[in-house]
Amino acid sequence: MKRIRSFGVLSFGKYLAVFNALMGFLIGLMYGGFFMLFSAIGAASGGKNAGPLAAFGIGGGIAAIIFIPIMYALIGFIGGIIATAFANIALRMTGGLELEIED
């Protein structure tokens, strides 16, 4: 039986930042695609505000693809640091986490 006594706080924070950035990129692609699709549909309707609507939708779609992964990574990093700090406190209080590893 092996025992985990603590986790690396920054290491886990970096891991969650990268993981959440990748997930945020996928979510940003979906939201960005919807923004661009619906703005193109609205612009195709040919109203007098079709040009600004299309520009807003394309700009919003690109912004979603860029900023959603950045925000997810930042939230993941901060959340990972906080969660790991609390996990380390709990591990100290309980004597660690038992782990059975088979070769």
Side-chain angles (χ1 to χ4, degrees):
M1 222 25 103
K2 303 281 184 181
R3 188 175 299 264
I4 297 174
R5 299 221 181 257
S6 70
F7 295 105
V9 175
L10 285 178
S11 174
F12 198 71
K14 289 187 286 186
Y15 158 73
L16 277 181
V18 171
F19 179 79
N20 284 354
L22 293 173
M23 293 302 294
F25 181 70
L26 293 176
I27 292 169
L29 281 176
M30 288 188 296
Y31 276 106
F34 284 127
F35 281 167
M36 290 187 258
L37 175 68
F38 291 131
S39 69
I41 291 171
S45 69
K48 66 177 181 176
N49 294 325
L53 178 64
F56 177 75
I58 292 171
I62 292 171
I65 293 170
I66 293 171
F67 290 115
I68 288 176
I70 292 170
M71 292 306 298
Y72 270 53
L74 183 63
I75 291 168
F77 181 71
I78 293 169
I81 288 174
I82 292 169
T84 307
F86 282 129
N88 283 339
I89 292 169
L91 286 171
R92 267 189 239 116
M93 291 172 66
T94 59
L97 179 67
E98 289 185 5
L99 189 67
E100 185 175 335
I101 299 174
E102 190 174 309
D103 291 330

